Amino acid sequence: MSRIPQTFIDELLARTDIVELVGSRVTLKKQGREYTACCPFHAEKTPSFYVTPQKQFYHCFGCGAHGTAISFLMEYDNMEFVEAVEELARRAGMDVPRESGPGRRDSEDFQRLIAAQEAAAAHFTDNLRHHPEAVDYLKQRGLTGEIARDYRLGFAPNVRDDLLRTLSGEFEEQELLSAGLATRRDSGPPYDRFRGRIMFPIRDSRGRVVGFGGRLLGPGDPKYLNTPETPVFHKGQHLYGLYEARKASPRLEELLVVEGYMDVIALAQFGLRNAVATLGTATTRDHLERLFRVVPHLVFCFDGDRAGREAAWRALEQTLPVMRDGRQVRFLFLPEGEDPDTLVRREGPEGLQARMRQARPLSDVLIDGLRQRHDAGTREGRAALGAQAARLIRDMPEGLLRAQIINELAQLASVSTDQFERGLGPRAPDDTPAPSPPPRPSPATRRQRLEITPVRLALSVLLDQPTLAQDLGDMHWLEHLNTPGVKVLVQVLETLRQNPHLTTAGLLERWRDSETGRHLLKLAQWQPPPSQEEAVPKLLQDALGRLRQQYIQQRTEALLAKASRAALSDDEKAELKTLLIRKPQ
């Protein structure tokens, strides 16, 4: 598969003026060396959103939103990463290059499979016009031509090789098999995978058809059939209707997650174009991360029966590890015998929206579910409840919601909050501890004041002034220092030495979507007090000097420990003598 070269992203960010970009969407006011505004990502009356030209970086002290020009487009315009890069390239008058992994052929094959899906979608759409029985079915379901057009609905006639014959002049047989449009039994001749079905094209974030869902028009099994896993289609990642929802409303705030294609279509018919559906699979972590990149609020819609509640519980288990503060998830359980399609026809869009407003918060569903699964009236039951609760929220991100849930779960298990938290077990260690978020400051006192470790201080200074890395001498000793975060510091220094013109934004993009990247984003919020701006280089030297002393201490202790067990080499003796001279008393 093709990807965008890192060198292009570096150049693109170097050509991009984040002030101009943000200013085209938000009214900015110059304040010192920065620009301020009321945050576009949350409601506020006093500006706490700052854009720093020097770093090509933005940060909100109110809600914590921060990032580069690419991040801003992803958050503000609901774009995927590639879309944001392409938009910045368009603004800069640049063409986005692509490079392949194993070889150029991979990219060409990928594009051919996409082209085959698009050609199939066009054929299915054309078929729908010429098959009255399919049109009648859609009309009976209350769908209009406008909805059929917007969602590119089509029809695959019950003919063994209708699509194969149509596309055979443009695509090879193996391409149609690889695209999941054709199949075969053993070594027999290939035939159309979809026959006698209403066709629902599944589109990616860029609007390209990557697969299909097909519903039988008559009796038979399976009622619904999806494209199999292919190089361009993965059921656990794509969501039906997400592209259409974003296109209908670029500033979405909430999405309704339903179970079927027809539910999405029916809701759209009634003006509710913010529904999406998983593709016949349970909700996955990839689904959730994709959804939360688009909106902060989700409502899951499930049947109210036992099967629906079990499905909701599985969705809850997947959701907890991505429930950061600011995200909201609620669960809507439908009356028995109803689905979103039938309910919206019976109660209208207002009725369904009223039910959505009354949907139950994730935390309530979690706690009630644990109560139902365990007998909290016995010690053994409370212990089992606490053990399952600990497993569920162990990987939940730190924050106010997690703290509130822990407090309530501790009460249910009849233990103290401290005891419950000890039962969670150790969390994965952070390589670079991030600074605590600052309180929301006034413009006069908004500078971050952190008691910062030498590693964090060094990283903060380098993110503020990346060119300082070029003035440092031999830092090889850092690779042998054993202290939290030093590996990241070594990587940052090496990156800046190899790329001397890299901006703060370009540096941050090197670690996008990684734990290290999240720590660096937080450290990039640091700025020196106005009185110390000229002394920033000395701050870096001081931080590295303290780290050098730590290294001397550690190396001295290591050599002394070795000397107590065996004789040192001549080089080691000379090194130890030098270290003892340098070691502070």
Side-chain angles (χ1 to χ4, degrees):
M1 244 176 104
S2 63
R3 66 183 182 89
I4 302 172
Q6 186 64 54
T7 52
F8 175 81
I9 294 175
D10 294 343
E11 182 180 356
L12 177 64
L13 289 171
R15 291 195 191 187
T16 297
D17 181 356
I18 195 171
V19 174
E20 180 183 334
L21 174 69
V22 175
S24 68
R25 290 157 170 79
V26 179
T27 302
L28 293 174
K29 181 179 179 181
K30 195 168 190 334
Q31 183 172 319
R33 68 172 186 172
E34 295 174 295
Y35 291 80
T36 67
C38 288
C39 181
F41 303 117
H42 80 286
E44 64 177 6
K45 295 181 179 179
T46 302
S48 62
F49 181 81
Y50 289 80
V51 181
T52 307
Q54 175 191 340
K55 297 183 182 181
Q56 291 294 297
F57 182 80
Y58 69 88
H59 174 65
C60 175
F61 286 94
C63 68
H66 52 249
T68 65
I70 295 175
S71 304
F72 182 81
L73 283 180
M74 291 175 67
E75 294 294 326
Y76 190 86
D77 287 357
N78 292 333
M79 291 183 176
E80 296 285 347
F81 175 80
V82 173
E83 291 178 294
V85 171
E86 290 175 339
E87 171 62 16
L88 289 179
R90 185 192 64 77
R91 292 170 61 96
M94 302 170 68
D95 293 326
V96 181
R98 294 294 199 280
E99 62 183 22
S100 297
R104 180 67 183 173
R105 183 65 194 171
D106 290 346
S107 177
E108 295 173 356
D109 291 345
F110 184 87
Q111 297 302 326
R112 288 287 293 172
L113 295 183
I114 290 289
Q117 302 286 5
E118 287 286 351
H123 178 64
F124 293 143
T125 299
D126 186 61
N127 274 345
L128 182 61
R129 300 189 187 98
H130 300 96
H131 287 79
E133 70 275 23
V135 174
D136 289 343
Y137 170 80
L138 294 177
K139 286 182 177 179
Q140 290 170 12
R141 298 297 298 263
L143 302 184
T144 64
E146 179 187 8
I147 290 296
R149 178 202 66 207
D150 290 349
Y151 285 81
R152 297 183 67 179
L153 301 187
F155 180 65
N158 195 14
V159 178
R160 181 180 178 85
D161 59 353
D162 175 70
L163 185 64
L164 273 168
R165 284 188 287 106
T166 301
L167 301 186
S168 60
E170 186 179 355
F171 299 94
E172 296 177 3
E173 182 181 283
Q174 186 55 50
E175 288 179 318
L176 298 178
L177 289 166
S178 297
L181 296 169
T183 187
R184 62 167 22 125
R185 288 192 178 93
D186 301 324
S187 58
Y191 56 91
D192 291 358
R193 177 178 296 275
F194 299 101
R195 305 182 308 280
R197 295 176 181 272
I198 299 292
M199 298 300 293
F200 301 86
I202 300 162
R203 294 193 265 191
D204 67 7
S205 61
R206 299 165 66 182
R208 303 174 301 184
V209 177
V210 294
F212 294 90
R215 186 196 190 283
L216 269 177
L217 193 56
D221 287 312
K223 183 178 180 182
Y224 281 96
L225 181 66
N226 285 321
T227 295
E229 294 289 307
T230 74
V232 300
F233 178 72
H234 306 285
K235 286 193 295 185
Q237 296 178 1
H238 293 289
L239 292 127
Y240 181 70
L242 182 57
Y243 171 78
E244 290 82 0
R246 292 177 61 196
K247 186 176 179 182
S249 178
R251 297 296 294 155
L252 281 170
E253 288 294 326
E254 182 176 75
L255 285 169
L256 176 65
V257 184
V258 297
E259 295 186 277
Y261 304 119
M262 282 305 301
D263 292 327
V264 173
I265 300 289
L267 293 173
Q269 180 69 63
F270 281 84
L272 302 177
R273 297 203 176 205
N274 64 330
V276 300
T278 55
L279 308 178
T281 65
T283 305
T284 67
R285 193 81 57 84
D286 283 338
H287 285 145
L288 290 161
E289 290 291 4
R290 190 173 294 266
L291 290 168
F292 277 129
R293 283 199 295 269
V294 177
V295 296
H297 303 158
L298 300 178
V299 178
F300 284 105
C301 185
F302 292 102
D303 294 340
D305 57 14
R306 181 173 181 177
R309 292 187 177 276
E310 287 302 316
W313 187 258
R314 291 192 295 273
L316 178 145
E317 291 176 324
Q318 292 294 312
T319 304
L320 284 169
V322 300
M323 277 299 292
R324 301 184 181 92
D325 287 349
R327 295 176 174 179
Q328 293 183 20
V329 171
R330 291 173 291 145
F331 291 84
L332 171 60
F333 294 100
L334 300 177
E336 186 175 353
E338 297 279 10
D339 58 34
D341 185 358
T342 60
L343 195 65
V344 75
R345 297 180 194 282
R346 185 168 60 83
E347 297 184 356
E350 297 81 7
L352 184 60
Q353 288 174 322
R355 288 181 179 272
M356 289 174 63
R357 289 192 292 271
Q358 296 169 3
R360 305 191 65 207
L362 173 141
S363 55
D364 288 356
V365 174
L366 168 65
I367 291 168
D368 287 350
L370 289 169
R371 283 188 176 125
Q372 293 167 12
R373 285 166 169 75
H374 302 282
D375 181 6
T378 67
R379 298 180 183 87
E380 293 80 359
R382 291 192 293 273
L385 183 153
Q388 184 178 14
R391 289 194 298 272
L392 287 170
I393 67 169
R394 179 176 291 122
D395 295 328
M396 187 176 177
E398 296 285 355
L400 296 177
L401 178 61
R402 185 177 189 267
Q404 293 177 73
I405 291 175
I406 285 176
N407 286 339
E408 191 159 350
L409 290 174
Q411 294 177 21
L412 280 176
S414 295
V415 297
S416 69
T417 300
D418 289 343
Q419 287 176 310
F420 186 86
E421 289 185 322
R422 284 197 295 272
L424 295 177
R427 294 175 61 81
D430 292 337
D431 197 24
T432 308
S436 302
R440 181 174 173 178
S442 67
T445 62
R446 69 174 193 83
R447 300 290 183 190
Q448 252 180 297
R449 296 181 180 178
L450 301 172
E451 291 186 9
I452 198 165
T453 66
V455 169
R456 286 162 59 186
L457 178 57
L459 285 169
S460 298
V461 171
L462 288 169
L463 287 165
D464 187 66
Q465 297 186 26
T467 56
L468 292 177
Q470 309 308 315
D471 301 327
L472 302 176
D474 179 21
M475 304 298 295
H476 181 72
W477 55 270
L478 263 180
E479 299 176 11
H480 307 286
L481 176 61
N482 181 22
T483 194
V486 75
K487 291 181 180 178
V488 176
L489 178 57
V490 169
Q491 291 171 359
V492 167
L493 285 170
E494 183 63 25
T495 299
L496 290 174
R497 283 180 172 173
Q498 293 178 2
N499 304 271
H501 303 297
L502 204 60
T503 64
T504 301
L507 184 62
L508 292 170
E509 287 296 339
R510 294 297 180 100
W511 280 275
R512 172 173 286 279
D513 294 331
S514 70
E515 192 64 24
T516 296
R518 284 187 281 275
H519 294 320
L520 292 178
L521 279 168
K522 292 179 181 178
L523 291 173
Q525 300 164 24
W526 175 86
Q527 290 187 28
S531 61
Q532 296 185 21
E533 288 183 2
E534 294 182 0
V536 168
K538 187 176 185 305
L539 291 178
L540 178 60
Q541 293 294 342
D542 289 347
L544 293 175
R546 290 161 62 190
L547 291 174
R548 177 69 176 172
Q549 290 302 320
Q550 290 182 25
Y551 166 75
I552 291 172
Q553 179 76 23
Q554 289 180 11
R555 183 60 178 161
T556 301
E557 291 174 356
L559 289 173
L560 289 173
K562 182 177 180 180
S564 67
R565 301 189 304 267
L568 297 178
S569 68
D570 291 340
D571 287 344
E572 288 173 332
K573 290 177 181 177
E575 181 186 3
L576 178 59
K577 182 178 180 181
T578 301
L579 291 172
L580 289 172
I581 293 173
R582 293 182 179 179
K583 183 179 177 183
Q585 302 300 316

